[in-house]
Amino acid sequence: MLLIHPITRPQRFITGKFESFIGVSFAVGARRHGQPSAAGATRSFYSTAPVNPFPAANPSTSNLVRGCDPAVGCFSLSASNLIPVNNSFHTTTPSRFSIRSNSFSKMAATKDYRLLCLENPLLDIQAFGDEALLEKYGLKANDAILAEEKHQGLFEDLLQNYDAKLIAGGAAQNTARGAQYLLPPNSVVYLGGVGDDKYAAILHDAVKQAGLRVEYRVDPKISTGRCGVVITGHNRSMCTELGAANHYDLEHLKKPEVWSLVENAEVYYVGGYHFTVCPPAIMELAKQAASGNKPFILSLSAPFICQFFKEPLDASAPYWDYVIGNEGEAAAYAESHGLNTTDVKEIAKALANLPKENTQRKRVAIITQGTEPTIVAIQGEDEVKEYPVHSIDPAKINDTNGAGDAFAGGFAAGVVEGKSIEESIHMGQWLAKLSIQELGPSYPFPKQAYPGHN
């Protein structure tokens, strides 16, 4: 049996670019954060019909969707089935919608949406390819890069000519889908930035399949972020264009209809990649959590966040009720903050005992270590606990991409439901174990019920 634990996000620094490999977010060059958009530039989506998760029952659409189910939030769809509607796009699948200038979803904010997540949405376009496809776009078999001009044709190529699996990606969106997988319907809402294009239409359809509510800032001038994934054997070549995900702003968050969702939420989850986009939005959520004594969960996301976005990260630290990272991120934090230790337990204790704004809650620091036990430190407590990871037959492992996001989703679901730290850790490990048996950051269907921890 092989012990598997989720959070592993290798990354590297390349000239002029910060790059993370999984659940991707990049900062390319310098940009100002939180700048308001031009008048009328922000638009949202709404659905005009309920989703039919069994499209084969409709002869006109049975050949359009392959391997689609509500739990996974991903499907295969030919780009030829996307048609323009009023200069936007929708699909000819039973989930019909268009991107409109309506400012908000018709669904009113209710206490249903207890978990609110924020980060950078991407449409993952995954397909099995070959060496010829890699050579065509100058890709390496096992790599992750930012898209350049020569890569622009890749996304359409995968959609048009391959049996592409489309996933509502980006680390925190994977986490949001994971939490919704475990929680009752209408429990999770996700915020981020997309474009006004067919890729946003596909992305919106994918999250609808997963039962996830989204309120996207829509940028009419910048395309939706995409990640083309070419699978060859056990290798994955990832080519990412962040697009509109890199342009979320505070104006969208503070819109009354969006802010009402913020006020309604009981738990907040922010992926650390968003420090590269709009730190003011993170701070607004953090302060809202503290003022209402509501849990605020932050994922460190990647070592480069701790190293190169230290200032906004540290500004948010007093508001962390839970902070999640892996051993690489913990090491980067320790080095960048002069902790003079590589001991994971000591780093966890240091994170847990940072100054805290909301003193009604003890901070909990969680550090995962691959196949080694998960480390948990609690503010003001000397004991650092270890939780062994769940075991799995290696033959059942299909894809570990996004497993760390699944862990965070399971853990966040536990927090929402008021579970103990131990139970929430096990919920995260259980969901990650399911995810690595799927292709990409996905979850099995029919939906499996969490069996509880004995």
Side-chain angles (χ1 to χ4, degrees), residues 55-400:
N58 184 341
S60 66
T61 60
S62 61
N63 65 329
L64 305 186
V65 181
R66 301 180 294 279
C68 176
D69 62 69
V72 174
C74 55
F75 50 90
S76 299
L77 176 66
S78 170
S80 63
N81 299 313
L82 293 166
I83 60 176
V85 178
N86 298 330
N87 297 319
S88 296
F89 294 83
H90 73 97
T91 69
T92 55
T93 68
S95 176
R96 298 180 183 272
F97 71 97
S98 62
I99 305 171
R100 308 202 179 176
S101 57
N102 238 30
S103 62
F104 190 63
S105 166
K106 298 301 182 183
M107 189 184 303
T110 71
K111 290 302 289 184
D112 284 344
Y113 296 100
R114 294 181 290 164
L115 175 62
L116 184 141
C117 304
L118 170 69
E119 206 193 50
N120 311 331
L122 300 171
L123 176 65
D124 289 350
I125 308 172
Q126 298 192 359
F128 289 94
D130 52 27
E131 291 299 323
L133 180 61
L134 294 175
E135 184 176 348
K136 180 179 179 180
Y137 293 102
L139 301 173
K140 297 178 181 178
N142 193 26
D143 201 6
I145 62 171
L146 286 173
E148 301 174 13
E149 184 63 31
K150 65 180 180 181
H151 301 121
Q152 293 305 308
L154 172 65
F155 309 109
E156 282 299 310
D157 201 348
L158 292 174
L159 283 171
Q160 296 281 3
N161 302 316
Y162 294 84
D163 188 17
K165 182 175 183 179
L166 309 178
I167 301 175
Q173 193 160 232
N174 295 335
T175 293
R177 290 190 294 107
Q180 184 59 74
Y181 187 87
L182 284 168
L183 293 169
N186 301 328
S187 289
V188 186
V189 60
Y190 173 85
L191 309 178
V194 299
D196 186 3
D197 53 24
K198 66 182 178 184
Y199 300 106
I202 301 170
L203 183 58
H204 195 271
D205 212 354
V207 297
K208 289 286 289 184
Q209 294 290 339
L212 175 66
R213 180 176 177 178
V214 296
E215 295 300 337
Y216 293 138
R217 175 192 181 272
V218 181
D219 193 313
K221 297 180 179 180
I222 303 174
S223 65
T224 298
R226 299 163 290 174
C227 181
V229 184
V230 179
I231 305 170
T232 53
H234 294 291
N235 295 317
R236 276 156 179 76
S237 183
M238 302 168 65
C239 182
T240 299
E241 181 177 67
L242 279 177
N246 212 29
H247 293 269
Y248 189 81
D249 59 28
L250 188 59
E251 181 185 20
H252 181 266
L253 181 69
K254 298 296 287 188
K255 290 173 65 175
E257 55 270 39
V258 176
W259 190 251
S260 67
L261 289 168
V262 174
E263 293 177 323
N264 172 78
E266 297 176 356
V267 179
Y268 306 93
Y269 177 92
V270 174
Y273 293 118
H274 203 70
F275 284 112
T276 72
V277 177
C278 187
I282 297 175
M283 293 303 297
E284 286 297 315
L285 292 181
K287 292 175 181 178
Q288 177 69 17
S291 66
N293 190 28
K294 299 177 180 181
F296 182 81
I297 308 171
L298 183 106
S299 171
L300 294 177
S301 295
F304 80 82
I305 297 296
C306 303
Q307 295 166 329
F308 303 108
F309 293 87
K310 183 174 178 290
E311 183 176 347
L313 178 69
D314 290 350
S316 73
Y319 299 93
W320 304 342
D321 293 303
Y322 300 90
V323 56
I324 303 174
N326 63 26
E327 71 274 37
E329 293 151 13
Y333 182 92
E335 182 180 2
S336 63
H337 289 75
L339 298 187
N340 298 318
T341 182
T342 58
D343 186 294
V344 174
K345 290 185 177 181
E346 291 301 315
I347 299 171
K349 288 178 68 174
L351 287 167
N353 288 289
L354 291 170
K356 196 167 189 300
E357 184 70 22
N358 179 15
T359 57
Q360 299 179 70
R361 296 179 180 275
K362 292 184 176 181
R363 181 185 292 113
V364 179
I366 302 160
I367 299 177
T368 62
Q369 306 182 94
T371 60
E372 298 301 314
T374 301
I375 301 299
V376 176
I378 300 175
Q379 187 177 29
E381 299 184 11
D382 290 332
E383 181 185 7
V384 177
K385 296 183 179 180
E386 299 184 8
Y387 295 93
V389 300
H390 292 195
S391 60
I392 185 172
D393 184 345
K396 294 182 178 180
I397 299 173
N398 189 30
D399 189 352
T400 58

